[in-house]
Amino acid sequence: MITDLDRCRPVKNLRSITSIDLSNNKIEEPQDALDFFNEIECAELTVLYLKGNPFVKKTSYYRNKFITQLPSLGHLDDRPVFTIERQSANVWLKEGPEGELKFRQETKLKERQEMREKVLSKCEKDKEDRETRKT
């Protein structure tokens, strides 16, 4: 069991590492984990597992913090990092929780409007097709 990330310092030299699994250890301090991943230069890190460590539950905005800190991350714990989550996390970093909430609400509204427009367009096309067949 890893309790201290100092034991993982050799990872700092592995610049092309793509996956790190530190899940189910005893890492307690959120700042230690954030500092560790801030110090390493893993530009190709796409998969990170940290679940099962005590610090995960202690860290408010855990996913946002790691997603914004690791721009190449495509999968954090058991969930993929989708584009919309990355965008939302970046807004959170710049504008805080209120800005993130506003961004998510605006994004959902925009998605609904786009879907409505697609449905209306399809209905209109279907109506035109029916009228064309009648003649």
Side-chain angles (χ1 to χ4, degrees), residues 67-85:
I67 290 168
T68 56
Q69 189 165 331
L70 301 166
S72 62
L73 202 59
H75 202 99
L76 178 58
D77 295 328
D78 291 333
R79 292 183 12 218
V81 178
F82 293 107
T83 302
I84 189 68
E85 184 178 19

Side-chain angles (χ1 to χ4, degrees), residues 32-94:
D32 289 348
L34 289 165
D35 290 346
F36 175 79
F37 286 100
N38 192 42
E39 291 170 13
I40 64 174
E41 294 182 26
C42 297
E44 297 179 33
L45 183 65
T46 57
V47 179
L48 179 60
Y49 291 99
L50 296 170
K51 69 179 183 169
N53 284 288
F55 86 87
V56 171
K57 291 187 180 192
K58 291 181 187 178
T59 307
S60 57
Y61 302 102
Y62 161 74
R63 283 186 67 85
N64 283 355
K65 287 179 180 178
F66 279 88
I67 290 168
T68 56
Q69 189 165 331
L70 301 166
S72 62
L73 202 59
H75 202 99
L76 178 58
D77 295 328
D78 291 333
R79 292 183 12 218
V81 178
F82 293 107
T83 302
I84 189 68
E85 184 178 19
R86 181 169 307 286
Q87 292 170 339
S88 181
N90 286 328
V91 170
W92 167 84
L93 184 63
K94 293 175 187 169

